[in-house]
Amino acid sequence: MGRRELREHIFRLLFRREFHSEDEMKEQEDLYLEYLAEPEPSETAYIREKTEKILALIPELDGMINEHSVGWQTDRMGTVDLTIIRLACYEMKYDDDIPVSVAINEAVELAKRYGSENSPSFINGVLAKLI
């Protein structure tokens, strides 16, 4: 599984978080990962670890996003867009293995696939202000 696919699975788990309590998230992770097509143990570990790190930092990530997104606070953003922005913000600020330009590009690609027509440009604009 490539990094793009791993990132997409992380996005999907983070998105699920918006609809389940923290108590349910462990079960949701287990169910989701159980149905992946024969992942390597290192891949499921990577997905779990990164998802949990991002979930733990959501208040901090949202603070950064709110500070830089003029007119669009996190409570006004669509769930898909916000989830993608949180993932990219984490990668930009906390993941030294991923260049900022790659984090932004991958976020825009996720937005094209899962977001609305305006999501790619919106997400690109918010992330550009975060740099």
Side-chain angles (χ1 to χ4, degrees):
M1 197 178 310
R3 274 215 173 160
R4 178 171 279 182
E5 192 175 350
L6 291 168
R7 183 179 286 105
E8 189 169 340
H9 291 303
I10 293 164
F11 161 74
R12 289 176 182 171
L13 282 173
L14 292 172
F15 184 78
R16 282 180 178 217
R17 180 231 184 232
E18 297 300 315
F19 304 99
H20 299 282
S21 69
E22 285 186 43
D23 295 336
E24 295 173 319
M25 264 317 287
K26 176 70 173 132
E27 181 181 352
Q28 286 298 311
E29 276 184 24
D30 292 341
L31 287 171
Y32 181 86
L33 294 172
E34 181 179 320
Y35 288 101
L36 291 182
E38 300 182 31
E40 296 292 324
S42 62
E43 293 168 338
T44 56
Y46 179 85
I47 292 168
R48 269 188 205 278
E49 182 181 330
K50 195 161 182 180
T51 300
E52 289 169 10
K53 284 180 180 179
I54 294 168
L55 289 173
L57 288 170
I58 282 181
E60 190 173 329
L61 295 170
D62 285 359
M64 284 187 264
I65 295 164
N66 286 330
E67 186 179 320
H68 293 92
S69 58
V70 179
W72 281 95
Q73 299 299 291
T74 54
D75 60 351
R76 290 189 59 217
M77 293 180 188
T79 306
V80 170
D81 292 352
L82 179 57
T83 303
I84 293 170
I85 292 169
R86 284 172 174 162
L87 173 55
C89 184
Y90 172 84
E91 289 181 339
M92 291 166 54
K93 301 293 183 180
Y94 299 101
D95 195 333
D96 295 332
D97 293 339
I98 300 173
V100 171
S101 60
V102 172
I104 293 172
N105 183 60
E106 291 296 322
V108 170
E109 291 302 316
L110 280 171
K112 287 176 184 176
R113 184 160 183 189
Y114 293 100
S116 69
E117 181 180 320
N118 298 323
S119 293
S121 59
F122 173 70
I123 288 169
N124 190 48
V126 172
L127 295 177
K129 291 178 183 177
L130 278 164
I131 297 177

